[in-house]
Amino acid sequence: MLTSRIVVDRDFVISELDRRVFGTFVEHMGRCVYGGIYEPGHPTADKDGFRQDVLELTRELGPTIVRYPGGNFLSGYNWEDGVGPKEQRPTRLDLAWGSTETNEFGTNEFITWCRTADVEPMFAVNLGTRGPDEARHLLEYCNHPGGTYYSDLRRSHGYEKPHGIKFWCLGNEMDGPWQICQKTAQEYGRVAKETAKVMRWVDGDLQLAACGSSQRAMPTYASWEYEVLDHCFNEVDFISLHAYFRNDSNDIQEFFTVIEDLDSFIKEVAAIADAVAAKRRSPKRIMLSLDEWNVWYKAHTPAHLRKPGWPKAPPLIEEIYNFEDALVVGGALITMINNADRVKAACLAQLVNVIGPIMTETGGAAWRQTIFHPFAQASRHARGQVLRTKVQSETFSTKTHPNASLLLSSVIHDPDTGAVTILALNRSATDEMQLEVELRGLGEGRKVSLASELHHSDIKATNTKDSPNAVAPKERTDVSIEKGVVSAKLKPLSWNVIVTAPA
């Protein structure tokens, strides 16, 4: 049996865990909006057309913030099309996904949905076909109390009170050749600076995120981040990261190492941002927003990305997640949590149907995909201060990573309740792991209040409409704690959550 040990001390804190790390993403793509969160006529739909079964699962999933309206869709979107009387809204061609957009669902519908779901909205402004002028008008529409053209326009649409949206993304993936109106780093950096400037003049209480390069493998990577921030460092608070994880080799051990790549990605972008700060002798620290991340590789062909004939809300990139995908999502969550000093926001992309933890049948059922569970458990239990861990664990080797730890873990202490949450992923495909966690300075008189494992004998197992709970967490009763030391056996390829509380 493998043996691993973790030592933590309540005084050795990485950072407070920002609750915005548990965000998701809703884009006008495929069936995420239409047939996903919004489906008038569905048996569970409320008066606003929101599917109550999806809302119930969203609350269980536990997202804290949701990014909207895109994504690639954003770079060709006119926000004015999605407000006002629905019967007067124009139907448009969405060039990003080759679809027809009815604009039946827009800004105010999304805000109403967020209030109903009890999540914070994260909005994005179009810096592809549009620019600072349209961004400041949208912000005035959303956040200004009244007495001006756009704020009074909102009020005339039935929303007397301002929406009060605080987190805004300045465009999306602007270095990507697939993007409508792709830009160079200099072009984007300049427009991001000017957009941020006028938005802050409209509302000084905002948090703004500039676009990083679209992925770590882009030829623009690193130089893009530096040049963009060199232009807009003083005007923004965040730089964005996007990361999608693939299992091209069909090898679970190699697949796991995308987690090491994510950790490197985070540290590299933080270092680039700090280099820009150093050039200015500035104590300011740009934080990271991992505002698109997920496993995505099976539904990845052109046929999954576009359908012929400009259809309305066609099924696009509806990835069917299996058990190994859930393990990787759990590992990614641990990595973001362990970088809590810089990762202050993150969005699992997307929420429903489109590479989503929730899957629906149009007109029918909704169910949890496998990746739903580690996200929901982390969001529910990981609260408070992330503690620095001293980990002793055996390692494994792959073609790309010769020395990867078999144990991935986070320990989070909630000073308000005294609870300590341990997230632990055993990446061994063959061996159980005896785990001990020494909780120094957290009191010897503690009890195990919750113990759970996500495990399945088949790493390709999936959840379906007919078998929605094939992969689901199971409670454990064999985890113990004595004199401040937690002891547990972790099954091979298992995601584990252990919560201890003062006795």
Side-chain angles (χ1 to χ4, degrees):
M1 183 181 294
L2 301 170
T3 59
S4 294
R5 181 174 177 82
I6 303 170
V7 178
V8 296
D9 189 295
R10 69 172 297 160
D11 291 330
F12 297 162
V13 176
I14 296 174
S15 177
E16 187 79 16
L17 179 60
D18 196 308
R19 295 293 300 159
R20 284 172 168 166
V21 166
F22 302 112
T24 57
F25 177 30
V26 166
E27 179 175 1
H28 284 249
M29 178 185 182
R31 297 192 307 123
C32 186
V33 173
Y34 306 110
I37 65 174
Y38 176 79
E39 191 181 340
H42 188 273
T44 71
D46 65 9
K47 62 180 178 57
D48 296 308
F50 304 150
R51 285 185 59 152
Q52 295 298 294
D53 54 352
V54 172
L55 273 167
E56 183 178 339
L57 288 175
T58 299
R59 295 186 186 104
E60 182 185 340
L61 182 69
T64 52
I65 190 168
V66 182
R67 180 171 171 241
Y68 176 86
N72 294 350
F73 173 80
L74 173 69
S75 291
Y77 180 54
N78 300 329
W79 69 267
E80 302 92 336
D81 293 346
V83 299
K86 292 186 180 183
E87 65 275 10
Q88 297 178 15
R89 296 181 191 178
T91 297
R92 303 283 194 191
L93 295 181
D94 168 27
L95 303 186
W97 303 117
S99 303
T100 296
E101 173 57 54
T102 66
N103 287 302
E104 183 181 349
F105 187 98
T107 295
N108 295 320
E109 287 79 20
F110 180 69
I111 289 293
T112 301
W113 182 86
C114 285
R115 303 300 184 234
T116 306
D118 193 25
V119 298
E120 178 185 0
M122 177 193 292
F123 262 62
V125 296
N126 175 359
L127 295 186
T129 59
R130 311 192 89 184
D133 206 36
E134 292 81 12
R136 72 185 178 107
H137 293 160
L138 173 59
L139 179 60
E140 180 186 322
Y141 180 92
C142 290
N143 283 15
H144 197 69
T148 65
Y149 176 82
Y150 285 104
S151 61
D152 285 346
L153 183 63
R154 180 199 70 244
R155 295 168 67 191
S156 75
H157 293 158
Y159 293 80
E160 181 70 23
K161 294 182 179 179
H163 296 326
I165 304 163
K166 297 305 179 187
F167 200 118
W168 293 79
C169 304
L170 304 176
N172 174 77
E173 294 184 358
M174 296 310 302
D175 65 333
W178 55 85
Q179 204 66 217
I180 300 171
C181 296
Q182 174 194 17
K183 289 178 169 56
T184 66
Q186 181 180 11
E187 289 169 340
Y188 172 71
R190 288 284 299 135
V191 76
K193 175 181 178 177
E194 294 305 314
T195 302
K197 186 169 71 178
V198 298
M199 288 180 74
R200 290 196 189 281
W201 288 350
V202 173
D203 184 344
D205 187 22
L206 301 178
Q207 289 181 296
L208 303 178
C211 288
S213 50
S214 301
Q215 55 179 294
R216 191 172 178 236
M218 288 289 289
T220 47
Y221 174 60
S223 61
W224 170 279
E225 279 78 1
Y226 187 92
E227 184 168 356
V228 164
L229 287 176
D230 204 24
H231 284 288
C232 64
F233 179 86
N234 292 328
E235 287 75 27
V236 303
D237 309 287
F238 288 82
I239 186 79
S240 73
L241 297 78
H242 290 181
Y244 290 105
F245 312 128
R246 300 177 62 90
N247 185 15
D248 292 326
S249 63
N250 197 29
D251 177 344
I252 182 62
Q253 299 302 130
E254 192 70 50
F255 190 19
F256 272 139
T257 62
V258 300
I259 298 164
E260 273 71 21
D261 294 337
L262 175 62
D263 188 59
S264 296
F265 189 15
I266 290 168
K267 289 177 168 58
E268 288 162 3
V269 174
I272 295 164
D274 290 350
V276 180
K279 179 182 177 181
R280 288 164 168 73
R281 289 84 167 165
S282 173
K284 178 180 178 178
R285 289 296 175 262
I286 298 290
M287 296 302 166
L288 309 188
S289 176
L290 189 61
D291 54 33
E292 284 188 35
W293 73 273
N294 207 338
V295 171
W296 174 29
Y297 64 96
K298 294 183 285 291
H300 209 278
T301 67
H304 289 111
L305 289 162
R306 282 177 178 265
K307 307 293 182 185
W310 302 96
K312 297 178 182 178
L316 300 177
I317 61 170
E318 297 196 358
E319 191 95 335
I320 304 301
Y321 290 108
N322 57 35
F323 173 57
E324 64 181 341
D325 298 330
L327 295 176
V328 168
V329 164
L333 286 163
I334 286 172
T335 297
M336 285 183 276
I337 290 169
N338 287 346
N339 286 280
D341 56 331
R342 299 308 289 266
V343 179
K344 299 296 184 180
C347 300
L348 182 71
Q350 295 181 16
L351 176 64
V352 191
N353 292 327
V354 178
I355 51 173
I358 299 169
M359 184 64 74
T360 74
E361 181 181 64
T362 300
W367 61 96
R368 306 166 191 84
Q369 292 230 60
T370 62
I371 64 169
F372 181 103
H373 297 295
F375 187 101
Q377 290 187 307
S379 178
R380 186 176 306 120
H381 299 296
R383 296 171 179 268
Q385 299 173 338
V386 182
L387 301 183
R388 197 169 300 281
T389 56
K390 177 66 176 178
V391 179
Q392 296 175 332
S393 174
E394 287 149 286
T395 62
F396 66 99
S397 177
T398 72
K399 293 177 182 178
T400 57
H401 295 77
N403 193 36
S405 175
L406 284 169
L407 174 68
L408 281 177
S409 60
S410 292
V411 181
I412 307 98
H413 171 229
D414 186 347
D416 294 336
T417 65
V420 174
T421 296
I422 302 161
L423 306 178
L425 175 63
N426 180 5
R427 294 197 286 184
S428 172
T430 55
D431 295 328
E432 279 192 322
M433 178 183 291
Q434 178 62 46
L435 174 65
E436 290 190 349
V437 185
E438 183 178 345
L439 306 176
R440 293 181 181 173
L442 290 158
E444 293 188 357
R446 302 186 70 83
K447 64 181 180 180
V448 175
S449 57
L450 179 142
S452 167
E453 69 177 9
L454 185 66
H455 175 75
H456 200 284
S457 58
D458 179 6
I459 61 173
K460 304 298 183 183
T462 63
N463 291 342
T464 65
K465 182 185 72 169
D466 296 326
S467 185
N469 298 310
V471 178
K474 294 180 174 58
E475 289 190 15
R476 301 182 58 180
T477 58
D478 57 346
V479 177
S480 63
I481 184 168
E482 185 175 353
K483 296 182 178 180
V485 178
V486 176
S487 297
K489 288 182 180 178
L490 311 183
K491 289 180 181 176
L493 300 181
S494 64
W495 156 268
N496 302 268
V497 180
I498 301 167
V499 182
T500 73

